[in-house]
Amino acid sequence: MTVLEKFTTPIGVALDRFIAAKQGEFPFATGELSQLLRDIALASKIINREINRAGLSGIEGSIGADNVQGERQQMLDVIADYRFTRALVIGGQTCGIVSEEVEDIIDTKNNDAKYFVTIDPLDGSSNIDVNVSVGTIFSIYRRKSEIGTPPTQKDYLQKGSEQVAAGYILYGSSTMLVFTTGFGVNGFTYEPSLGEYFLSHPDMKIKEDGSIYSVNEGGYHSFPQGVKDYIDSCKQRELSARYIGSLVADFHRNLLKGGMYMYPSTEKYQNGKLRLLYECNSLAFIIEQAGGMASNGEKRILDIKPEEKHQRTPLYIGSKKMVEEVLSYLKKEQLA
Ligand code: AHM
Ligand code: MG
């Protein structure tokens, strides 16, 4: 490539332009969902800035208290929760929020808004202090409660199959926003000097079969027998074991390269560790749109009827053939 070619190569479609062009595809397209996605993108840019300078600005580490999940809250968890909530409150398109960091439903006081958001503002945040990638995960639903009234549990006790959009932001070697509105999956890379996301991964698809399995094998002895047998078979076939311990990063790698992430039930986490409403459902919508599969070991994640806002579920997610295989091992275990 000549120097001139290098400097005249198009950068690509900016997120705003992409959203505007695709608005017609959005369910009930009236511009509000587009605006909501822009609000999330804006908040993510602020979080990106905070994460990149965390070591210098003294905002690493824990705040010394636990969140609703009984897990240690990091300072950046609190900051991310504040930023996303504020963006959604001011943005005006969201009537309520369920956040990993907050026990109760957050009433944004936007009673006329049509959408409800579930969010893990900063997933994998214990990785921040050691400079490992973290992420944000979100889902967007049409509200079920009546417009003009405060949000209720009807709004978040919807099956994942009712999501109108879902996405994640990966704060990694580059910052990326990946989302779906039910018409495929598109990935955007943040260009910090321009302050914009640009389309870098159009129409993302996961390989039907993969060669990476991602699981915290520290829990091996308390995994269901089927999962143990499956892991043993991965080892016999010398598949690659890759586990960052940061869900968005593990998921993103597997999406790009082909693989499966698992968080089965363990002795410590009888229903798995991950949360249905703002971790599993969001990623399940994305993986299905990319041609992959997501299950709790018995049924499709997107078909689970939630009963509680912070409920957990086991998760098997990634390349279709790998998920089918672990499911067949789990079935064999039941029949044995
Ligand atoms: P968090 O929401 O409290 O950050 O927990 C979720 C994280 C995921 O990012 C990651 O995949 C998983 O917990 C790791 O758990 P473990 O340390 O048990 O392997
Ligand atoms: Mg999380």
Side-chain angles (χ1 to χ4, degrees), residues 100 120 122-124 137 275 279:
E100 178 181 346
D120 182 350
L122 204 61
D123 184 68
I137 314 173
R275 275 53 59 113
E279 290 175 327

Side-chain angles (χ1 to χ4, degrees), residues 183-207:
F183 295 88
V185 181
N186 290 286
F188 297 78
T189 302
Y190 185 57
E191 163 51 275
S193 64
L194 299 174
E196 258 291 8
Y197 283 102
F198 290 93
L199 181 62
S200 52
H201 296 64
D203 197 18
M204 298 168 87
K205 292 284 175 219
I206 186 166
K207 285 183 190 156

Side-chain angles (χ1 to χ4, degrees), residues 94-95 107-114 143 146-151:
T94 309
C95 68
D107 183 349
T108 59
K109 308 286 181 210
N110 297 319
N111 284 351
D112 290 329
K114 292 182 188 147
R143 72 182 296 172
E146 210 177 310
I147 295 211
T149 64

Side-chain angles (χ1 to χ4, degrees), residues 67 71 100 120 122-126 216 243 245-248 250 261 263 269 273-275 279:
N67 67 9
E71 282 148 7
E100 178 181 346
D120 182 350
L122 204 61
D123 184 68
S125 52
S126 58
N216 182 350
Y243 190 71
S246 199
L247 176 61
V248 175
D250 278 310
Y261 176 99
Y263 209 113
Y269 296 110
K273 180 183 180 193
L274 302 174
R275 275 53 59 113
E279 290 175 327

